[in-house]
Each structure stands twice: as C-alpha cells, then as structure tokens.
Amino acid sequence: MNKKMEKILQNRELNLVLLTAVLLIAISFRAPSFLALKNIERIINDTAILIMVASGQLLVILTGGIDLSVGSTIAFSGMAVSMLNQYNPEIPVVLLIFLGILIGTALGAFNGACVAFGKVPPVITTLGTMSIFRGFTFVLSKGQWVTAHEMTEAYMNIPKGKLLGIPNLTLWAVAVFAVMFYFIRYTRSGREIYAVGGNKTAAHFVGVSERKVNFMVFTVAGALCGLAGVMWTARYAAAVNETATGFELQTVAACVLGGVSLAGGAGTLTGVVMGALFLGIINNALPVVNLSPFFQMGIQGFVVLAAIVANVLMEQRNDRKLLAGRRR
Amino acid sequence: MGNSMEHVSQTRLINETSLKERMIDLATRWEFILVVLFLAVVVYFSNASPHFLDYFNLMNTTFNFMEKAILALPMIFVIMCGDIDISVASIIALSSFSMGFASSKGADTPEIVLVGLAVGLLAGVINGLMVTGLKIPAIAVTLGSSSLFRGISQAVLEDQAYTHYPESFGYFGQGYVGESLVPFELLLFVILAAVMGFVLHRTTYGRKLYAVGNSLTAARFSGVPVSRIRFMNMALNGLFAGIAAVLLTSRIGSTRPNIATGYEMEAITLVVLGGVSITGGKGNIVGVIIAVFLLGYLKFGMGLLNLSAKVMIITTGFLLIGAVLIPELLNMLKSWRKLKNQQKGL
Amino acid sequence: MKNTVLELKDIAKYFPGIKALDKVDFTIRTGEVHALIGENGAGKSTLVKIMTGVYQPTKGTIFRNGKSVQFKTSHDAQAAGVVAIHQEASMFSELTVTENIFMGHHLRKKSGMLDWKAMTRHTAELLDKLELDISPDTLIKNLGTAQRHMVEIAKALSVDAEVVIMDEPTSALSLKEVEELYKIIRQLKNDGKAIVFISHKFDEIFEICDYFTVFRDGQYIGEGEVPKSSIDEIVRMMVGRSLNQMYPKKDPKIGESILDVEGLSLPGYFSDVSFNLHRGEILGFFGLVGAGRSEVMRTIFGIDKKSAGKITLKGEVLEMASPGLAMRKGIAYVPEDRQEQGAILEMSLSHNITLPQINGLSSFGVLNSRKERGVTEEYGNKMEIKAASWKVNANTLSGGNQQKVVLAKWLATNPQILILDEPTKGIDVATKAAVHEFISEMAAEGLAVIMVSSELPEILGMSDRIVIMHEGKVTAVMNRDEADSDNIILAATGHGRGEKK
C-alpha cells in the first residue's frame, strides 16, 4: 500500500493532475462560476495555441536543446500570412494556413541547420534568431499593424468557427496533439529523438543520426509555430509586431511543468499538454482573484522556477531511492 | 626511473609546421579577424559619412553601448564556465525599479546607487544559488528568473514609470570626466575591463575559470571548487547588472518595466563575438573589448546612414550566430586539412 | 565448414594527430569464436567501431563474403549482418528494456506504425533465453550494472546477425552470468555464426575461443589457433616483452599504517568498506566493472559524500568534504578517465601540472609565473614528459605522455598517499612499463600507494596486498604470497573469500 502511494507520488503527470485539481478548487471557492463548463471550455480554447507550440518545444527540449525563437517565429509567420490576406483577400484560407506552416517550417529549418550542421548551440542559435525573426517582422510590416477590418471574415473564422459545438481552435489543438502523439510514439523518427537526448554516444552506435534529429526537431517546432502564427493573428484579429513576445517562456514552462527533463531524453506529450492547461488556468484565474494582467509575467516566472525546483528535488530524491534500492 | 626508457628526440609538433600553415593559423585567429572587421567598419563608415570620424561623435556614441559592454564583462566568466545568464536585462529592470522606489521615498543619490547595486547582487545570488545549490542548468534558472525579476517591476509599476531622481544622480549616465569629452561611463568601463582582465589573466581565479570551462570534471578532480566559482560568476553578473542599471537609469532618467529589453542578447553577443567559446574554456578580454567597439561603432555608423533600429537588431542576431558558426566552420576545415596531411604523409 | 564471412585488409584509422590503427588485417570465419587480443589502447575498440560502421576507415577495405563493402552507418553494418556489443555503456537509461533493444531497428507494422506488441514479445523471449528475470517494460535506470550488460547482449541477439562482436562482454558479469553467456556463444557457434570475442582474460580465451589475433599499439602482431598456443606465447605477442620486465617490483619497505578506512558506505555504490594502508605499500584494488572500487576512491578523495563510515588519516578522523581538503591532507588521486577527469586537454602542460596547487603558487591570488615554471620543470622532467614545450596543450601529446602529465601534476603536490585508478589504461607498452617502474620507486621512497586496476597481471605483479571487491563489498584481502589469479577471480565474482570450490 505504501509502495503504491510512493509510485503515485513519483508519477509526475498524476502529480500535476492533483495540483491542477487543488488549484481549481481553490479558485472556485473565490469564484464558483470558474468551474462552469463554459469557462472550462474557454480555458482550453485559450490554451490551444500554447499546446501546439509547446509540443514543438517538447521535441527540441527532448534532444537537450531549447528554442527561444518560438515567439518571433509566430510573429513573423502570423504577420506574413495576415499581410497576404490583407493584400490578396482572394487567396483561400486553406492555402493561407498551408503557407503559414510553410513559412514557420522555413524559419525552423534555419534554426535546425545552424544547430545540426553549423554546430552552433541551440541557445545561441535561437537567441540570435529570436532577434532576427522579430526584426524581419518589423521590416516586412514596415512597423505597421494588420487590424481586424483589413482581414477577411474567412481568415478570422479559422479559429472561431465551431464544429459540433467545439471551437475550431480547440479542434486544431486536438489534431496537433493526435499527430504529434502518433509521431512521438509510433514512428522511428519520433523514438530517435529520445535516443539522441538520452545518450548521444549510444544513439551513434545504433545508427541514429544526431544531425538529422536536431534538424528535424527545430523544423517541426518551426512548422507548429507557423500554424500558431496563423491561429494567433486570426483569433485576436490583429497582426502586430510584438505578437507572442515572451511566449518562449510559456512553452518552456509548459514542458517543465509537464515533467520534461531539460537535460533531454525524458518527457511526454501528455505531460506537456497538462502543463499548458495548468498555465492556462492560472492566466484565466488572475482577474477572478483580482490581480491585474500585469502580474502575469511575474507569476509565470515564479511558477516556472517553482516547477523546476520541485522537479529537481523530486528527481534527486528518486535517484537516491533508486540507488539505495538497486543493491543490498 | 628513466634508465629503462630510451631518450627519443623531442617531438616538435609546433616548430615543424610550415610558414604557410602558420600564416593560415594567424589568419584564422579570432582576434585577427576582429581587428580586420573593426578596421573595415572604420574605413567603410568614414567614407560613407563625414560625421563618423569625429572625436566628439566617437566619444559621445559610447553612451549608447557602455552599459551593454559592462554587462559583457562578468558574462565572459559565466560563459567561460559553460553557463549562461539570460536574466541580466531583467535584473536591470528590477534594480532600476528598486532605485525608482527608493528615490520616490526620498532617498538621495548614494542610497539610490547602493540600493541599485545591492538588488543586482541579490538577484545574481539567487540565480547562483539555484544553479549551484540545486544543480539546475543556468539556462533554465535564468529563463525563469528573467520573467520573475521583470515581472515584479511590472506587477507594481503596471504601465506607470518612476521619473523623479535627484539631480546629482544624473552624473553616472550623463556626465563627463572633468572638463574632457570622455563620458564617465566610458572611463568606468575601462577601469572595470582592466580589473576583470587582470582577474581573468593574472589571478588564480582566472586560471580556475579556464580549468572549469575546459573540463568541469577534471577541474573538480584537481581540487578546484567548481560550485563556488560558478556561484561567484552568477553573483558577479548580478552585481554588474546593478552597475549597468545605475548607469542606464541615470542616463534616461526614468524607470519603466520594459527598461533594457534585449540587453541580455547584446551582452551575450559581445562575449561570443569577442571569441569566448560558448562551450567553455576559451577566450580573452582583448577579444571582447574589440567586439564592444566593433559592434558599437558598427551601430553608430548604421545610424548615421539612417538604418532603422530593427536592422541593427537583425545584424546583431546574425553576428551572434556567425561568431559561433564561422570559427566552427574554420575548425572543421583545419582538422580536415590535418587529416589530409596525415594521409598524404603515409 | 568454415567460410570467411568478413575480411579486413590493410585497415588504417587516423584521428587528427593520432594513428589509432595502422596496417591491420583481420579475418572472421563462420562457426568460429575468434579472440581479438590486445592490451587496453591496442586499438581493439576502434576496430570494432570500423567493423560496425560507427567509424569509417581512413584506408583499407572491408570484404563481406568476398565482396568489397562500405559501412557508412551502423545500419549498413547491421543490414550486412554485423552487430556488436560495445564495451562503453551505450544504454538509454530513461527508456525501457524493449526500447533499448530495438532502438535503431524498431519493428514496424505494414502501415509503417511501430509495432510495440511485437517488440515487447520479442524482448520477453530474448530475456527468457538469457534467463533474465526482468520485465521488458523496466526502465534501464532501474537495473544494475550486470543486468545492463545482459540487456546489451540481448540487444545484439535481437538482430539476426551472422557476425556477432562482443567487446569485453564479461567485464561486469558474475560467474553464473558468464556461464550463461558461454552457453549462448556455443549455441551461436553451432548455428554457424561468426563470433568475435574481445577479452584480455586468458582463462576466458582458452575456454571459449578457437582462434586468436593479437594487436599492439594499433598494429596487427600475429594470429594462431588457440588450442595450439600457450599463454606465454600470446602474452609475449601482446606486450612485446616478458612479464617480469613489465612489473619491475621493488622490495617493499612497509612502514606504519597511515590511512584507516572503517565501514565506509555510499548507498547504491558500496557499503561497509574497511581497509588500511601503510607507508611504502602498494595496495591493489581488484574487482569487476561496477564493483565500486572507483567510487570508494572518489569518496576518500572527497568527490562523493559518504553516508556512513570513518576515514582516519595518521590518527586524525577526517570528514572529506572536498577534493581541496583531501589534497591539503596529502592525498592525491589520479582518476580512471584520463581524458575526462585527469588532464585538461585544452590547457597547456604547465597549467595542467600546477592546477592542483595553484593557490600555493600565487601571492594574494595573483599568479607567480616564476614559481609555476619551477614546479612545471621539476616534475615534468622527473616524469620525462616528451613535448615540444611546456606551453603546448595536453591534447597534442600521446596517451602515455598525457598520463605522465597527470602523474606529474599530482606528484607536484607532494602527497603522502597516492591513489591510482587504472594507471595504465590505454597507454602504450613502453610507457606502461615506465609507469610501473615509477610506481615501484615511489613506494620504495615511502609513499603509500593504492592502485585500482582491472588487469589481473598488473595487480598480481605490483601489489603488496590486494583488496578484492564484489558488488560494493570487500570480499577478500590477500597478501602478495597468498594471491593467485584463481582465488582473486573467485573473490571478485562473489564466491566466498576466495577459497577454491
């Protein structure tokens, strides 16, 4: 019995579920309406973009890297697609979504090429491209915005429409989750990410190409940012130059909260989704507990640090247990 | 021992290399490339604009990059040891916010400065404790703390600003040394660079930095207190961010939550551009100093040609990546040549 | 019915600055267990990596069934039916046993989707065959060293290969597990597979191998049939000189006890380790890989923190809180991994040698280059390091010279206790003899020496007393005259206190 409890406590995803439940209950004391189905639906919809981008971030972190350029990639692809929509309203939205993904893929591939073939560490690469892509956004837009009345109705409806009563944006997130889940769990390439992140030498021995994997994860992360760029600009009916500034922190936070090891090689997609939802709840709860949105940044920073510290402490404890139990 | 061993003539790995090889070695030395780049910048912009080679302008434009240059100095130590600190800009925000708060409560210049430095140091200490005490990677810690530190000042200030500082506080970021045209910021940078250069190249602390950077494990096995050194680096980084906060706040005379955004990228760019290896263990102060003026005057020149700030940011981003990418490519070329020579020899 | 399945002709492998292999020929036949013999650093592992496509040869040709082939990745080698059990830990500790076995060649359904069910089933079968009582879903990090090695073996068997290369497969296995492995090898042999067996334990070679090839310092030395050869012959090929030349043991002048270790424990690595060490003594530490010898040394040197026990140095009970403290108390530790832990490769020889005592060579934290040069020259010359200057980086030197730099660096601290962890691993034969002679001399001068080694001849040839460990416990302590290879191996594999069966 005691052993079972121990096992439950060691399961990070379960821990997070418990923590989320506690958080929800605490908030609902303050505002019972928070737990209404409609509100929950809204929280999930609000978190949809984060889920998409965080699952790309997951792949990068699994290899032991980090992608700090996600916010800028979202901004650039969102701006590019919005401007296309503005000046060529006749282009069908399906094609726009496709173009958004394509642009994001190209930016991600640039990151991937620097890391995989130029051996530039991920932090440096993406710290650089974070500025470069943001700068390109300004250059492209000449500092101007694309606002709601310059976008077509069809474009703004990409996330807003509903299917069977569920908002499209949520459905997109579910689709991304499904594809990514399949990719990570049921393809060789997906498993190779864990190999490279877990033990580079061993990966080399079994013929897994570190270069290929590194290039792949950044490219996929870029593609998801591209999709997110379209969703973001369409949802908020505005493409501004500052779109998604600081979003990289939220994606990393979702991963860390979901139990992904920043050293690489360990972490699950389900964990990341739950980490993202946890952040979504916090963001949505701020007005409920009478905190101004200006608190968001500080609280996120605090949550990230707390999550990292908790993860590390738990890991160290588990390691000690593991060692003590392994022999004698 | 000894009698059992034959005395073989010394292997002259270095002396045997040909003149051509040595020329290639020199040309691929990073400081050499930096100096060439610097001269290129000077020559190009003095031809492009009559205002570039002007003593007053050259002095005055240093106001625009001295705070970042000061951030770069302890960042050399941090990066040398294989760590990174992306929270320095947020430490500036927190420190500046504290100074504004102190000033609004009626503190005078010395107290304000003290508050700024102390808050910076404290923030650095917090980072350092998490990195070394809890063994969390520096990138993770500082990503989180950057949001926390700036978030604190944002939560309190919201969209307001502190704009009232004592008049004498203005000297640090706006004043000149005596009657000269030399900004106080520049003088302070020169002094700090000299001190940090001395520490890096002439003291046991510096030697240990190189040891930790090259091989953390081997350094630990050699009795180097690795954790203490990495902690000190992070703390120092915080303190210098406090200094930069004093200068910046004094220069612009106000504190907003978005103060110094993007400074961490520039500071890291200066260090990496200066030839400090991001994987640790290589680099020197001279390279970074050249990088400071190279980037500073490049931006000044670009400004004279009316290029927008965004173009400069793009340039900085490419310089950051290029500074790592190009030596890496040169290295690949070098070891490929070496291997080919070996094959030819047999 | 022996057919040549894999033939290597005139193979060379260069790394920048190093010739790891040169002019190597090697032939593998079906239905034969072929021993690849050589000391550490002779180039065996490099050859394995070439045969499995991890490295590409700089020169030379590989023939598979008479046809010239190129293995660009280990996939190519695997597709050609060549697999290896690598010596280095090559596991993914966060992943399951199943995944570790199938990484790189996951089974797929017709749709291209990974077939986890089939993989788990296969894994269960393989584990069964190896009589391993672990679930396919266990994470590798939850397994012990020996179990991990068995999983490595299962991994190689999961591919239906014609050539199976085993790089020191027994180094961490107990006697029972070794028997299990022999059974599998014999079965593979009867199935007409070709097996390459790498080992430097002669009892194993004579037990299981049919043919042998000897390497020394990256070069092919000779080959022959095992049953028609003697140990002496093979040893002479291996080391290029006779044994007593290799181990120039001096008459010990053993003094008073200087170090007393009592009940030292570190959970997961070792427990209740007690021994003592005298001045002028060479105390050998023997055991299988993973027995916990290095961890004991690391703990004494203050790198790992003990959970229980007492370390007494010259009557003073010490809490070894850091390597710095251990050094100040006169302990020097030459670690096992020269490249990772011993030398700092990208630093100059001089800076390497002075690093442990850099505080002493400075005034108020400011370096004193005159003092530094003095120390460098004194100990560098004493160790007869061959280099162009003291300013060149350590990575420009050969393995043997690097090891001399590490030794010089620790001697310069004037230690009273010198702990050597695998002091001759991966260095050439000439330097090896020099290092041995030097160890003897230092002991004769009154230094207390602990020598951890996995090479039995080295342990037998050099030690005054031998401490034998098995799975984190001291199983025997023997005097030089009562130790022989049989009772040491028995104690090291956990069979009593070394008494024969």
Side-chain angles (χ1 to χ4, degrees):
Chain A
M1 181 62 207
N2 213 351
K3 223 173 186 174
K4 228 174 194 169
M5 274 304 290
E6 191 70 36
K7 217 168 192 165
I8 288 172
L9 280 175
Q10 275 179 21
N11 187 328
R12 290 215 184 98
E13 277 123 63
L14 219 57
N15 275 339
L16 193 57
V17 170
L18 289 176
L19 193 65
T20 313
V22 170
L23 183 74
L24 277 176
I25 292 166
I27 297 168
S28 65
F29 268 114
R30 184 101 186 204
S33 64
F34 196 78
L35 278 182
L37 193 65
K38 223 176 167 80
N39 197 46
I40 299 276
E41 202 184 285
R42 208 183 48 141
I43 292 172
I44 294 174
N45 206 38
D46 280 351
T47 319
I49 292 178
L50 179 58
I51 291 176
M52 294 177 194
V53 183
S55 39
Q57 185 74 268
L58 165 71
L59 302 192
V60 178
I61 294 183
L62 277 179
T63 64
I66 196 163
D67 189 347
L68 298 175
S69 72
V70 288
S72 303
T73 309
I74 293 172
F76 184 82
S77 25
M79 178 61 79
V81 172
S82 300
M83 286 173 70
L84 270 175
N85 181 245
Q86 178 187 4
Y87 293 112
N88 307 285
E90 71 282 357
I91 300 178
V93 287
V94 182
L95 190 60
L96 286 179
I97 295 173
F98 177 73
L99 284 172
I101 296 175
L102 201 68
I103 294 167
T105 308
L107 299 187
F110 179 78
N111 281 335
C114 287
V115 173
F117 305 108
K119 291 191 185 163
V120 182
V123 183
I124 294 298
T125 301
T126 58
L127 199 61
T129 52
M130 180 166 105
S131 298
I132 295 171
F133 298 162
R134 184 73 63 185
F136 279 160
T137 313
F138 273 91
V139 171
L140 182 71
S141 70
K142 302 200 175 64
Q144 304 297 304
W145 297 6
V146 182
T147 52
H149 58 258
E150 287 156 339
M151 290 176 178
T152 63
E153 204 57 40
Y155 185 72
M156 289 185 285
N157 263 333
I158 299 173
K160 270 196 203 95
K162 281 192 177 184
L163 192 72
L164 302 172
I166 304 168
N168 281 350
L169 184 57
T170 304
L171 291 175
W172 275 101
V174 171
V176 166
F177 174 80
V179 171
M180 293 297 282
F181 189 83
Y182 181 86
F183 174 65
I184 291 175
R185 181 77 192 144
Y186 290 105
T187 67
R188 284 189 179 179
S189 297
R191 301 317 295 168
E192 287 176 355
I193 300 172
Y194 286 85
V196 167
N199 184 339
K200 287 192 170 56
T201 321
H204 187 50
F205 280 168
V206 295
V208 174
S209 160
E210 191 188 337
R211 280 187 183 178
K212 183 198 111 183
V213 168
N214 275 337
F215 183 72
M216 179 181 75
V217 292
F218 279 100
T219 310
V220 174
L224 290 171
C225 288
L227 177 65
V230 176
M231 296 296 158
W232 191 300
T233 48
R235 169 142 206 255
Y236 298 105
V240 302
N241 296 299
E242 292 82 8
T243 299
T245 312
F247 200 58
E248 63 280 352
L249 177 81
Q250 294 198 34
T251 59
V252 175
C255 290
V256 173
L257 277 167
V260 181
S261 157
L262 285 167
T268 64
L269 187 61
T270 359
V272 172
V273 171
M274 285 187 320
L277 285 173
F278 185 83
L279 284 177
I281 292 170
I282 290 186
N283 288 344
N284 274 281
L286 286 182
V288 178
V289 293
N290 279 333
L291 281 175
S292 80
F294 291 104
F295 273 81
Q296 196 180 331
M297 188 187 218
I299 287 179
Q300 269 168 11
F302 179 77
V303 169
V304 176
L305 285 179
I308 298 174
V309 170
N311 272 356
V312 166
L313 290 180
M314 207 146 75
E315 228 162 79
Q316 286 173 356
R317 207 178 126 241
N318 285 352
D319 282 356
R320 270 201 303 276
K321 276 238 164 68
L322 215 68
L323 284 174
R326 201 199 280 161
R327 250 185 336 223
R328 287 168 288 284
Chain B
M1 63 179 296
N3 359 11
S4 74
M5 255 169 53
E6 320 148 61
H7 282 271
V8 189
S9 69
Q10 296 197 330
T11 44
R12 291 200 173 73
L13 290 162
I14 304 241
N15 307 0
E16 270 173 18
T17 50
S18 66
L19 185 69
K20 190 179 146 208
E21 289 288 322
R22 265 186 285 173
M23 289 302 286
I24 291 173
D25 263 4
L26 175 71
T28 53
R29 260 192 77 108
W30 192 245
E31 290 82 28
F32 181 80
I33 296 175
L34 282 180
V35 170
V36 170
L37 280 176
F38 181 76
L39 291 177
V41 164
V42 172
V43 169
Y44 176 77
F45 286 111
S46 26
N47 280 324
S49 162
H51 306 292
F52 187 81
L53 268 190
D54 174 282
Y55 179 66
F56 177 77
N57 280 347
L58 288 180
M59 277 297 160
N60 243 21
T61 193
T62 61
F63 278 119
N64 293 319
F65 57 89
M66 275 307 121
E67 291 117 16
K68 295 162 195 160
I70 285 172
L71 287 179
L73 293 174
M75 192 71 88
I76 300 174
F77 293 10
V78 172
I79 289 182
M80 182 84 86
C81 285
D83 290 320
I84 197 158
D85 185 348
I86 56 172
S87 75
V88 281
S90 299
I91 297 180
I92 294 184
L94 184 65
S95 167
S96 178
F97 158 74
S98 316
M99 288 189 282
F101 182 77
S103 177
S104 73
K105 295 283 177 229
D108 202 6
T109 302
E111 289 115 62
I112 295 177
V113 172
L114 207 62
V115 166
L117 299 183
V119 169
L121 180 63
L122 181 70
V125 166
I126 293 173
N127 280 338
L129 281 178
M130 297 224 276
V131 171
T132 59
L134 294 170
K135 300 193 175 68
I136 305 172
I139 173 74
V141 168
T142 56
L143 186 67
S145 66
S146 73
S147 175
L148 178 64
F149 295 153
R150 197 182 285 282
I152 292 173
S153 78
Q154 196 172 62
V156 181
L157 273 177
E158 304 198 337
D159 50 2
Q160 303 299 301
Y162 286 121
T163 50
H164 293 290
Y165 287 97
E167 205 168 305
S168 60
F169 183 68
Y171 176 77
F172 302 107
Q174 299 168 25
Y176 294 85
V177 179
E179 299 294 301
S180 71
L181 282 177
V182 179
F184 170 76
E185 287 197 344
L186 179 61
L187 176 72
L188 185 64
F189 169 72
V190 171
I191 294 170
L192 290 174
V195 171
M196 296 299 265
F198 183 80
V199 171
L200 184 59
H201 297 296
R202 289 279 178 274
T203 67
T204 56
Y205 190 83
R207 178 67 57 77
K208 288 172 189 168
L209 282 176
Y210 280 97
V212 174
N214 271 309
S215 170
L216 198 134
T217 322
R220 175 138 42 94
F221 275 82
S222 304
V224 175
V226 176
S227 287
R228 201 189 312 158
I229 284 178
R230 289 172 67 207
F231 170 78
M232 291 275 285
N233 290 344
M234 298 301 276
L236 213 55
N237 222 22
L239 178 65
F240 273 59
I243 298 176
V246 171
L247 299 178
L248 181 61
T249 312
S250 156
R251 182 158 66 86
I252 58 182
S254 70
T255 300
R256 280 174 212 286
N258 66 354
I259 189 172
T261 347
Y263 273 37
E264 74 285 354
M265 206 270 293
E266 296 226 11
I268 293 168
T269 304
L270 288 175
V271 173
V272 174
L273 185 62
V276 178
S277 159
I278 191 79
T279 45
K282 267 197 214 79
N284 60 56
I285 195 90
V286 179
V288 176
I289 294 174
I290 303 175
V292 163
F293 290 97
L294 169 63
L295 194 62
Y297 286 128
L298 175 68
K299 285 191 174 179
F300 171 55
M302 288 167 77
L304 285 178
L305 302 186
N306 283 325
L307 289 168
S308 81
K310 290 300 154 187
V311 177
M312 292 184 204
I313 286 188
I314 295 172
T315 314
T316 316
F318 275 117
L319 277 175
L320 175 61
I321 296 175
V324 184
L325 188 62
I326 291 163
E328 192 59 57
L329 295 177
L330 287 176
N331 259 340
M332 286 185 208
L333 192 74
K334 263 191 211 166
S335 47
W336 180 76
R337 277 176 58 94
K338 200 169 173 185
L339 208 59
K340 263 202 108 186
N341 285 343
Q342 241 172 315
Q343 269 165 291
K344 240 188 306 181
L346 280 146
Chain C
M1 259 316 273
K2 288 180 181 174
N3 300 320
T4 299
V5 282
L6 196 69
E7 194 177 3
L8 284 76
K9 274 238 166 85
D10 196 25
I11 295 282
K13 176 69 187 173
Y14 304 156
F15 297 103
I18 302 161
K19 273 191 254 172
L21 284 178
D22 204 15
K23 301 188 187 98
V24 164
D25 294 329
F26 192 51
T27 310
I28 306 170
R29 288 167 287 266
T30 51
E32 187 175 84
V33 182
H34 193 143
L36 183 52
I37 306 173
E39 303 219 285
N40 281 325
K44 294 170 292 176
S45 293
T46 309
L47 190 69
V48 172
K49 286 177 187 166
I50 285 176
M51 287 191 277
T52 52
V54 175
Y55 290 160
Q56 273 63 59
T58 312
K59 219 172 70 177
T61 326
I62 303 174
F63 296 96
R64 176 81 174 96
N65 289 334
K67 263 184 275 170
S68 158
V69 287
Q70 275 190 324
F71 297 153
K72 289 207 176 75
T73 66
S74 53
H75 280 311
D76 295 351
Q78 223 170 65
V82 182
V83 295
I85 301 161
H86 290 282
Q87 182 188 2
E88 293 151 71
S90 54
M91 307 245 92
F92 307 103
S93 57
E94 292 283 349
L95 301 178
T96 64
V97 171
T98 305
E99 180 117 45
N100 267 276
I101 286 178
F102 284 100
M103 186 60 82
H105 61 279
H106 286 100
L107 302 179
R108 286 184 286 199
K109 294 180 187 164
K110 277 206 188 89
S111 60
M113 186 174 178
L114 298 188
D115 192 347
W116 287 107
K117 254 193 202 147
M119 286 188 270
T120 313
R121 204 176 52 239
H122 274 277
T123 307
E125 283 166 17
L126 282 168
L127 295 176
D128 224 35
K129 201 163 151 193
L130 292 170
E131 298 192 10
L132 262 180
D133 185 25
I134 47 179
S135 149
D137 295 329
T138 319
L139 295 185
I140 291 294
K141 65 176 179 186
N142 295 343
L143 299 181
T145 323
Q147 285 174 319
R148 285 181 200 212
H149 273 247
M150 292 305 271
V151 173
E152 280 274 306
I153 292 165
K155 185 166 143 190
L157 299 181
S158 72
V159 184
D160 191 24
E162 204 176 1
V163 180
V164 181
I165 303 163
M166 303 184 175
D167 196 351
E168 306 208 9
T170 59
S171 58
L173 302 186
S174 71
L175 279 188
K176 180 185 160 283
E177 288 159 329
V178 170
E179 284 304 324
E180 215 59 59
L181 180 67
Y182 285 171
K183 218 157 76 191
I184 289 159
I185 292 178
R186 291 198 182 97
Q187 199 186 327
L188 287 172
K189 190 170 130 180
N190 289 338
D191 294 349
K193 314 266 167 160
I195 295 121
V196 178
F197 190 87
I198 298 176
S199 175
H200 49 230
K201 294 179 190 155
F202 288 103
D203 52 335
E204 289 180 352
I205 292 165
F206 280 87
E207 165 106 32
I208 196 79
C209 299
D210 307 307
Y211 202 84
F212 71 87
T213 299
V214 179
F215 278 42
R216 189 169 72 224
D217 297 344
Q219 292 194 316
Y220 166 88
I221 300 296
E223 60 190 286
E225 288 179 37
V226 173
K228 291 183 185 162
S229 312
S230 69
I231 294 192
D232 280 352
E233 264 173 73
I234 300 178
V235 168
R236 215 167 304 129
M237 289 168 101
M238 218 170 117
V239 299
R241 58 179 79 190
S242 68
L243 269 180
N244 44 3
Q245 264 178 299
M246 275 308 288
Y247 304 109
K249 179 86 184 123
K250 295 217 156 108
D251 273 339
K253 279 172 281 190
I254 295 178
E256 78 278 14
S257 174
I258 174 167
L259 179 74
D260 210 348
V261 173
E262 255 185 84
L264 203 64
S265 299
L266 184 66
Y269 294 105
F270 58 85
S271 69
D272 201 20
V273 168
S274 303
F275 65 91
N276 64 353
L277 174 71
H278 302 88
R279 273 188 209 284
E281 180 181 45
I282 300 177
L283 183 64
F285 260 75
F286 187 78
L288 298 175
V289 170
R293 296 164 298 161
S294 296
E295 287 79 5
V296 170
M297 300 311 146
R298 289 165 57 116
T299 308
I300 293 173
F301 192 59
I303 290 166
D304 297 333
K305 306 279 167 289
K306 68 178 164 54
S307 67
K310 204 165 82 175
I311 300 170
T312 316
L313 184 70
K314 286 186 289 178
E316 185 189 357
V317 178
L318 291 176
E319 283 304 319
M320 286 303 178
S322 72
L325 179 73
M327 265 169 44
R328 282 194 293 281
K329 295 291 179 187
I331 301 178
Y333 176 48
V334 178
E336 176 184 4
D337 189 336
R338 182 173 55 240
Q339 309 244 331
E340 280 284 315
Q341 306 165 335
I344 297 183
L345 297 177
E346 303 254 325
M347 263 168 85
S348 73
L349 304 185
S350 166
H351 291 187
N352 263 292
I353 291 173
T354 55
L355 185 63
Q357 48 168 332
I358 194 69
N359 287 340
L361 301 177
S362 64
S363 28
F364 304 107
V366 179
L367 296 169
N368 181 332
S369 53
R370 201 176 42 80
K371 276 193 200 163
E372 266 195 76
R373 198 171 335 116
V375 170
T376 306
E377 279 172 5
E378 182 185 347
Y379 289 93
N381 288 333
K382 190 167 177 184
M383 290 307 304
E384 302 186 350
I385 296 164
K386 292 178 200 128
S389 95
W390 301 121
K391 285 187 185 138
V392 300
N393 283 352
N395 57 5
T396 61
L397 302 188
S398 69
N401 270 307
Q402 281 177 14
Q403 186 68 329
K404 287 183 184 174
V405 171
V406 180
L407 284 170
K409 147 181 163 178
W410 285 111
L411 275 188
T413 64
N414 275 320
Q416 295 176 307
I417 297 174
L418 180 63
I419 304 175
L420 302 161
D421 200 344
E422 307 282 0
T424 59
K425 190 174 167 183
I427 60 182
D428 61 288
V429 173
T431 319
K432 208 163 182 169
V435 167
H436 285 149
E437 182 166 345
F438 155 80
I439 295 171
S440 284
E441 258 181 36
M442 293 308 294
E445 284 171 23
L447 193 72
V449 179
I450 295 178
M451 186 181 72
V452 176
S453 176
S454 298
E455 295 204 34
L456 204 44
E458 185 170 80
I459 286 282
L460 285 169
M462 298 295 299
S463 319
D464 297 310
R465 270 190 316 144
I466 302 159
V467 177
I468 298 136
M469 288 184 69
H470 170 67
E471 294 198 346
K473 285 203 164 80
V474 173
T475 47
V477 181
M478 297 176 194
N479 280 327
R480 183 179 177 78
D481 44 9
E482 60 188 23
D484 60 42
S485 57
D486 286 346
N487 57 17
I488 289 184
I489 292 282
L490 281 176
T493 46
H495 290 257
R497 299 187 62 83
E499 284 100 22
K500 294 191 183 169
K501 283 183 238 179

